Amino acid sequence: MTATSPQEATQAPVITSTKATTAAPATERTFPGFDRPDYVQPEIPTTATEPIQDTTITVGADVSGKIMPEGLAGLSLDTDHLVDMQMNPDQSNLVDILKMSGNPVIRFGAQAVDRKFFWTSTDELIPNWEVVPSYPKDIRKVVKVTPEVLTNLKHLLDRGNARTLLAVDMGHYDPERAADFAKYAHQILGDRLVGISLGNEPNGYNRVENKYLALRPAAFTLEDWAVEARAYSAAIAAAAPEVKVVGPEVYNDAWWKDYIALNLPNQGALTYHNYPLHECSDAANSDRARTIPILLSRQLSDDSAAYAASAVKAAAGHNVPVWNSEANISACPGSNQTLKTHASALWTVNYAMRSAAEGVTQLDFHGGLEACKGGAPGSPLCDSGPYRQPNGIVTMRPQYYGIMMVNKLGSGDFLKSQVDGNKNIYAYPVKHADGTMGVMVINQNDPQKQTSVNITLKLPQQAATGTMTQLAGPELAAQDQTQIDGLESAGQTAEEQGKFPVSSPARSPFLSH
């Protein structure tokens, strides 16, 4: 190994007075804190009195069998956002945000695709569909998407170095129109298109108690949907044989194995959705209430990892990847204490990394491009213009910093590792193709309550040099104050970063909190 590039996601800035040890097989060295201007640290609050057990991270030489893909973390949007001004790279700064994001995927789908999305390659009039609002003040209408819209999207993706996952409307049954959409999408987007989803959350089509959700009769089953899915798949395969279809895009794990068993000839991925904090009443005794302590709890992390692992298991033997194409903290309406906070950035990093370590190769965090004031508070991005008067200037919330942080780690093979000590510290080592190593370390303890922690990082062999990237915020509840390398961006590149101070050629990386 010629170099080591440790990367760190922490819930609080690094405490430079804390010492950290890095060990190679035959050596062990302790170095003082890494003092850099962009890592100037605040005083430890007087409330931080609870001690944290010293923690040792041991990285092995063997790979785990799972991969860290390029651009693991992406963005999920409703399909009607395809026509928004932010999609035009000449009218918005979204392209600049994408450039910082490590080749992410923008997934267009969600509930709008089956209700408010009309594709036409011949500029037909929008049908007179009944538009049911999803919430009392929902004024969104059906949008018309044409080849010109896809061409505009191609410009955004090319300039932002991003990819896209699109979806076809199954709410209004029309396999031929879906096939026409797939044909044009492939012709226009080329390799920027990673696949096309078959509708969105068909396991909820039969929820007739909710007029907005109901797209089929109450008796509609997975078997009924499978008949429709086969028809869509066959039509798309005939019109655009290069395009892969993905599904089932559901929040019910009972659908996974049956969908995979369809063996669609153009199957591209098993896709699922997950919002871990699904308790909307915020009951005090619920382990899924939308609070920061629960969000960053070891129990929630373990449960989320187990859910990801079960999806990977469902696809085993079918030679298809597993994607979480729509995820976020909660799908509940309204505000809660986790939104727009530094805690949401920490959760995003750990949720993505644990999922990848279980075998998930793409995660798209759901949001929108509505106004920062008045729009959805749980979105990773928002428009800085007045409510319903977008100006195209997109703002990154803390969760989007988490997305960028994940993708900075780079692609490679996960290495086997072990963390001994504090249960709220996680480590994800990745061996890159060029022989370098990145180690993502996440400390989800509360800096307002817990003291700093000594971390020992043991590597499988001697490191030549090292750099550090840090995601940090002043406290877990801090809103819109998250930064990477002290910057309101994706931070510095490895070439820009200073190397760790060492006293001999046998250098080792520094890591501390």
Side-chain angles (χ1 to χ4, degrees), residues 285-355:
N285 60 349
S286 170
D287 63 356
R288 291 294 182 268
R290 297 168 295 165
T291 67
I292 288 177
I294 290 177
L295 180 69
L296 300 184
S297 69
R298 183 75 193 206
Q299 184 63 56
L300 186 70
S301 181
D302 289 346
D303 290 348
S304 297
Y307 198 67
S310 63
V312 172
K313 183 178 179 181
H318 291 269
N319 195 32
V320 295
V322 176
W323 299 345
N324 183 347
S325 58
E326 184 179 320
N328 211 314
I329 294 168
S330 171
C332 301
S335 299
N336 64 76
Q337 69 170 263
T338 72
L339 302 179
K340 301 186 290 185
T341 63
H342 185 58
S344 71
L346 280 180
W347 172 82
T348 297
V349 177
N350 199 44
Y351 182 84
M353 294 306 304
R354 284 207 77 176
S355 297

Side-chain angles (χ1 to χ4, degrees), residues 8-15 41-42 44-45 48 50 52 292 296 341-347 349-350 405 422 424-426 441-453 455 470-478 481-483 512-513:
E8 177 181 2
T10 66
Q11 98 292 348
V14 170
I15 306 302
Q41 306 303 315
I44 299 175
E50 298 176 17
I52 300 178
I292 288 177
L296 300 184
T341 63
H342 185 58
S344 71
L346 280 180
W347 172 82
V349 177
N350 199 44
M405 188 69 182
N422 184 267
N424 291 324
I425 294 175
Y426 306 80
V441 177
I442 306 168
N443 179 357
Q444 291 195 334
N445 291 292
D446 187 343
Q448 297 297 309
K449 296 180 180 179
Q450 279 88 30
T451 60
S452 58
V453 58
I455 296 178
Q470 181 196 44
L471 178 147
E475 59 179 307
L476 296 180
Q481 298 181 58
T482 300
Q483 295 181 331
S512 89
H513 297 273

Side-chain angles (χ1 to χ4, degrees), residues 57-279:
I57 299 168
T58 304
V59 179
D62 297 330
V63 298
S64 71
K66 308 300 186 196
I67 66 166
M68 173 67 182
E70 181 180 4
L72 167 68
L75 188 68
S76 168
L77 299 171
D78 274 80
T79 294
D80 52 356
H81 282 295
L82 276 169
V83 301
D84 287 355
M85 68 177 299
Q86 293 91 349
M87 295 298 125
N88 187 331
D90 295 324
Q91 296 182 8
S92 171
N93 68 331
L94 179 58
V95 67
D96 298 318
I97 290 173
L98 294 176
K99 286 179 183 178
M100 299 186 293
S101 307
N103 192 20
V105 167
I106 309 177
R107 173 256 185 170
F108 293 94
Q111 292 178 353
V113 71
D114 293 320
R115 297 164 178 85
K116 300 176 180 180
F117 159 59
F118 178 66
W119 161 259
T120 173
S121 58
T122 57
D123 201 25
E124 302 162 84
L125 295 177
I126 295 176
N128 188 26
W129 291 337
E130 180 184 11
V131 180
V132 179
S134 61
Y135 52 91
K137 295 183 179 181
D138 182 11
I139 62 171
R140 296 177 300 162
K141 302 179 185 296
V142 176
V143 300
K144 179 194 292 189
V145 175
T146 63
E148 289 73 23
V149 173
L150 295 182
T151 298
N152 188 66
L153 175 63
K154 177 67 159 56
H155 294 157
L156 176 75
L157 300 175
D158 283 345
R159 290 170 59 177
N161 188 30
R163 299 162 290 157
T164 190
L165 171 62
L166 299 177
V168 291
D169 173 15
M170 291 189 71
H172 309 89
Y173 183 78
D174 194 340
E176 290 71 25
R177 189 174 298 275
D180 187 62
F181 176 69
K183 180 183 72 174
Y184 276 89
H186 172 68
Q187 290 176 356
I188 294 170
L189 299 171
D191 59 6
R192 296 289 181 187
L193 177 68
V194 301
I196 290 183
S197 302
L198 299 178
N200 177 77
E201 298 182 354
N203 59 307
Y205 284 1
N206 61 355
R207 294 177 60 180
V208 294
E209 75 282 358
N210 185 316
K211 191 175 181 180
Y212 173 73
L213 296 176
L215 295 173
R216 298 291 190 274
F220 185 78
T221 65
L222 185 153
E223 290 73 23
D224 297 323
W225 180 80
V227 173
E228 299 182 3
R230 286 192 179 99
Y232 269 72
S233 172
I236 291 172
E242 305 88 352
V243 172
K244 297 295 185 180
V245 298
V246 308
E249 295 282 301
V250 296
Y251 53 84
N252 185 345
D253 56 1
W255 281 53
W256 297 344
K257 287 187 177 180
D258 288 336
Y259 172 76
I260 283 290
L262 295 179
N263 290 318
L264 300 178
N266 46 3
Q267 175 68 278
L270 170 68
T271 56
Y272 70 98
H273 298 171
N274 183 228
Y275 292 81
L277 296 189
H278 49 72
E279 177 55 68

